[in-house]
Amino acid sequence: MSDAVTVSTRDGVAVIRLDSPPVNGLGFAVRNGLHAALESVLSDDAVRALVVTGGGKMFCGGADIREFGQAPPPGTPHLPTVIDAIEASTKPVVAAIHGFALGGGLELALGCHLRVAATGTRVALPEVTLGIVPGAGGTQRLPRLIGVPAALDVIVTGKMVPAADAQALGILDAVVDGDVVEAAVREARRMIEGEVPIRRTSALDDRVSESRNAPEIFAAFRKKMARRARGFEAPFACVECVEAAANLPFAEGVAKERETFTKLLASDQSKAQRHAFFAERLVSKIADVPKDTPLLPIKTAAVIGCGTMGGGIAMNFANAGIPVKVFEVSQDALDKGVGLITKNYAATVTKGRLSQAQMDTRLGLISTTVSYDDVADADIVIEAVFEDMDLKKEVFAQLDTACKPDAILATNTSTLDVDEIASTTRRPDKVIGTHFFSPANVMKLMENVRGAESSAQTIATIMKLSKRIGKVGVLVGICDGFVGNRMLYAYRRQADFLLEEGALPHQIDKVIYDFGMPMGPYAMGDLAGLDVGWRIRQRQAATRPAHLRYSAVADRVCELGRFGQKTDAGWFRYEPGSRTPIPDPVVNELVLKVSAENGFARREIGDQEILERCMYPLVNEGAKILEEGLAQRASDIDVVWMYGYGFPRYRGGPMFWADLVGIKTIYEAMRRLHDAHGDYWLEPAPLLKRLAEQGKGFGDL
Ligand SMILES: NC(=O)c1ccc[n+]([C@@H]2O[C@H](COP(=O)([O-])OP(=O)(O)OC[C@H]3O[C@@H](n4cnc5c(N)ncnc54)[C@H](O)[C@@H]3O)[C@@H](O)[C@H]2O)c1
């Protein structure tokens, strides 16, 4: 028929096969080919039934996302037209599914009269993760097939449903071992013989009628999802569409779905979420590290230092089934560290998210030592001792002697120069930074810090390892704070200045929370603990450049013995056992006092000003980082912020958000801020200036 769709005939049954590698995406060629194939076999009297299947790895990976929002719009036939034509067929149509049926792929299958899948198949409607609703009848057909509660769960989460579960729900009619097309042809023959009736999903009513005129079902579901979906438009739009499926005739429900789909597709949120999708895929591409760079095999690992970070890092290896040895200065320290790991796992078991057997297996993969000789065979060693250059150098010199020559030596330093650490070894090419985020067993981000001499092989191996242990690795360069914390600093700094000038902690936190961050800077400080930063600032006091503005407000909070949640008081106060920050008059008075002492006439500061003053310098710093070549691309910075700091995915990360705001707007605001406050950290990045003058954005780079 066409290259993208082929037709063969078996036993009076036409087998229409999507043949568009790699995922049989439903771009124009496939839709058009499918439609043409359908017309031809429907008018062919020798054909009595149809099987729709996919060639290669899967049935169908769904719509071609690149076509979304394309101008001019992609050509007809549109997917709903093709699916409607399939469903309307008077000859039986059976879907033969293997691998995946995702998004439009599953919608296509839902349009068939019967669904047969191979064992191991997974199905999903993941549109919600791209900020849209399924747009080819999925929100209307799925509830008719499996009922409202199950459909809500599948559509609103976008989760992968394994074949067995899909069969239990009623999405799939049969799951078979062996040749799925053969099995589908057999079913088609039974339908020809009238043993199995044609069942058109759109005509089903039993399952949806259970939830008709029952707004309480949907209200309860919205309430249940409210926290997880905070700020996102698409999950709520999905619920609306499913509610329409329950209450409206199919055609009206489809119209509602189409209208919602079109509206969301054009929304900033969907643009941001699609950007995030592509950004994540791009992150592993490194300009000077070819894709086929041979990797070092990682079969065993070692972690040096089993404190807050080391323990979490060791868990990551154990979780991925990689044996890991933890090294500490003393048996006491080891006992303490492993005790914490055990407690962490036990908590997950209590929550029902891990079985006791799994916990035992994982703990069994973690062994301990106080001797460097015992880490000699590790393929990778990650150092997580105290943040002290002399100590790290000493540890690396020891490791260099003890470890086999091709072992990678990585440091989890958050501020120190990886090159200086590497210089104490005879293998600087095998030294790299692996900057995990706290808690290291939970947070998905790994900033992989490339040293001047880190080899392509070392980089490629670490990037691959990140994925293997369930992390998102982003390659960054060496600078103070690397990408994430350097940008964070620019933002935190302005927040404290805003306090001096007129804002209060809860006001700033609310603005940042409402923007979509998991919490504001002050709640975050209380969570992380305020004393560590305070001690660092005390050490730096003597060398702090006099011309730089300095806010002492954070120091003053610490001087009261308020170190955050661990002391039940920090920027906020906490009821014993509670993590809910409560604004505290003591701190508010302190803020006012610091303002007065430093001669600030406090003024009313609006929410918009707070947002701009915090977020624009963060973006500005990102621009400096890009220009200095410390991140490969703006979208990598977005990934750092989404995975390391919970930057709302529906804003696409700070750099994407900046493009939406407009670079010119941000540049001009930075210039005004810099003029007004003279702070070095507010100096507009040259890249920002250039983009503003050219009318371009980070996305154009
Ligand atoms: N805590 C965080 O949020 C965070 C985040 C990212 C990176 N980091 C970095 O991770 C590293 C560790 O930080 P942490 O918070 O886990 O510190 P920590 O104080 O909790 O743990 C450090 C551990 O190292 C051990 N240690 C000290 N000297 C050692 C030696 N010579 N050999 C073996 N073990 C030794 C200590 O006994 C202690 O258990 C630091 O470089 C830090 O900057 C920390």
Side-chain angles (χ1 to χ4, degrees), residues 304-310 327-329 333 372 384-387 391-392 395 412-414 435-436 438:
I304 310 300
C306 193
T308 312
M309 295 304 285
F327 170 98
E328 261 289 355
V329 280
Y372 276 109
V385 303
F386 301 133
E387 187 76 340
L391 176 63
K392 299 223 185 228
V395 168
N412 186 47
T413 181
S414 32
H435 184 217
F436 288 83
S438 182

Side-chain angles (χ1 to χ4, degrees), residues 437-500:
F437 283 64
S438 182
N441 56 315
V442 177
M443 296 300 291
K444 296 259 286 176
L445 178 65
M446 251 174 102
E447 280 183 332
N448 294 328
V449 189
R450 168 182 205 156
E453 296 192 50
S454 308
S455 70
Q457 185 173 50
T458 302
I459 294 170
T461 303
I462 289 293
M463 293 298 285
K464 184 72 193 259
L465 177 70
S466 303
K467 230 182 235 166
R468 208 171 137 204
I469 62 174
K471 303 289 171 189
V472 179
V474 181
L475 192 68
V476 305
I478 297 175
C479 64
D480 199 3
F482 308 126
V483 169
N485 284 344
R486 177 170 157 187
M487 290 167 71
L488 181 75
Y489 181 71
Y491 139 96
R492 275 296 287 110
R493 193 176 160 76
Q494 295 306 317
D496 284 1
F497 293 161
L498 285 166
L499 291 185
E500 286 183 331

Side-chain angles (χ1 to χ4, degrees), residues 15 66 81 117 153 184 243 254 260 460 463 557 566 603:
V15 177
R66 267 161 265 263
T81 313
D153 183 40
E243 191 161 9
V254 161
T260 310
M463 293 298 285
V557 170
K566 59 183 159 189
R603 63 188 171 88

Side-chain angles (χ1 to χ4, degrees), residues 328 330-340 368:
E328 261 289 355
S330 67
Q331 189 58 44
D332 260 9
L334 276 177
D335 292 345
K336 214 173 121 201
V338 174
L340 204 64
T368 61

Side-chain angles (χ1 to χ4, degrees), residues 26 91 111 342 456 496 685:
L26 296 161
K91 299 178 183 179
T342 311
D496 284 1

Side-chain angles (χ1 to χ4, degrees), residues 299-320:
K299 297 205 186 75
T300 62
V303 176
I304 310 300
C306 193
T308 312
M309 295 304 285
I313 295 169
M315 288 172 78
N316 291 325
F317 283 107
N319 295 348

Side-chain angles (χ1 to χ4, degrees), residues 87-382:
E87 193 181 53
S89 161
T90 49
K91 299 178 183 179
V93 188
V94 180
I97 309 169
H98 74 292
F100 294 94
L102 307 179
L106 180 55
E107 291 177 299
L108 172 63
L110 293 176
C112 297
H113 303 146
L114 200 85
R115 286 152 292 280
V116 180
T119 307
T121 297
R122 294 200 285 170
V123 306
L125 290 175
E127 284 85 348
V128 70
T129 62
L130 298 174
I132 51 177
V133 298
T139 66
Q140 303 306 300
R141 284 195 178 90
L142 193 64
R144 284 177 165 77
L145 198 59
I146 67 173
V148 161
L152 278 174
D153 183 40
V154 170
I155 295 172
V156 174
T157 60
K159 70 182 178 187
M160 288 283 179
V161 187
D165 296 352
Q167 187 181 14
L169 287 173
I171 301 175
L172 300 174
D173 297 289
V175 178
V176 298
D177 291 323
D179 188 337
V180 70
V181 175
E182 243 347 286
V185 169
R186 266 197 312 276
E187 288 301 318
R189 298 263 0 143
R190 290 178 60 206
M191 292 176 90
I192 294 170
E193 303 307 329
E195 292 169 34
V196 178
I198 286 183
R199 191 169 71 137
R200 295 191 176 85
T201 316
S202 67
L204 303 176
D205 190 60
D206 287 8
R207 300 304 307 275
V208 274
S209 65
E210 296 160 6
S211 305
R212 186 154 301 144
N213 300 323
E216 65 283 359
I217 294 178
F218 299 92
F221 191 85
R222 284 189 187 94
K223 202 170 152 204
K224 201 176 84 186
M225 69 189 246
R227 238 189 85 187
R228 262 187 82 91
R230 179 174 73 96
F232 286 90
E233 289 162 3
F236 296 96
C238 287
V239 178
E240 263 184 47
C241 289
V242 174
E243 191 161 9
N247 295 333
L248 301 177
F250 183 76
E252 285 175 42
V254 161
K256 162 89 185 166
E257 179 194 88
R258 177 90 330 227
E259 181 197 319
T260 310
F261 173 84
T262 309
K263 191 180 87 196
L264 287 186
L265 192 62
S267 71
D268 284 348
Q269 285 211 355
S270 173
K271 284 179 197 149
Q273 286 174 259
R274 280 178 274 147
H275 164 79
F277 176 87
F278 288 117
E280 273 169 43
R281 267 149 195 74
L282 215 54
V283 93
S284 56
K285 292 206 174 63
I286 301 162
D288 59 343
V289 177
K291 220 173 130 193
D292 54 2
T293 304
L295 305 178
L296 285 164
I298 304 286
K299 297 205 186 75
T300 62
V303 176
I304 310 300
C306 193
T308 312
M309 295 304 285
I313 295 169
M315 288 172 78
N316 291 325
F317 283 107
N319 295 348
I322 303 170
V324 56
K325 191 150 276 173
V326 291
F327 170 98
E328 261 289 355
V329 280
S330 67
Q331 189 58 44
D332 260 9
L334 276 177
D335 292 345
K336 214 173 121 201
V338 174
L340 204 64
I341 292 174
T342 311
K343 210 174 117 193
N344 263 329
Y345 276 133
T348 316
V349 171
T350 308
K351 284 181 201 145
R353 283 197 261 126
L354 193 74
S355 71
Q356 184 63 46
Q358 283 170 316
M359 164 168 164
D360 296 343
T361 308
R362 291 179 192 193
L363 279 176
L365 288 169
I366 302 175
S367 56
T368 61
T369 183
V370 290
S371 160
Y372 276 109
D373 294 341
D374 286 336
V375 300
D377 291 334
D379 298 313
I380 178 165
V381 183
I382 297 185

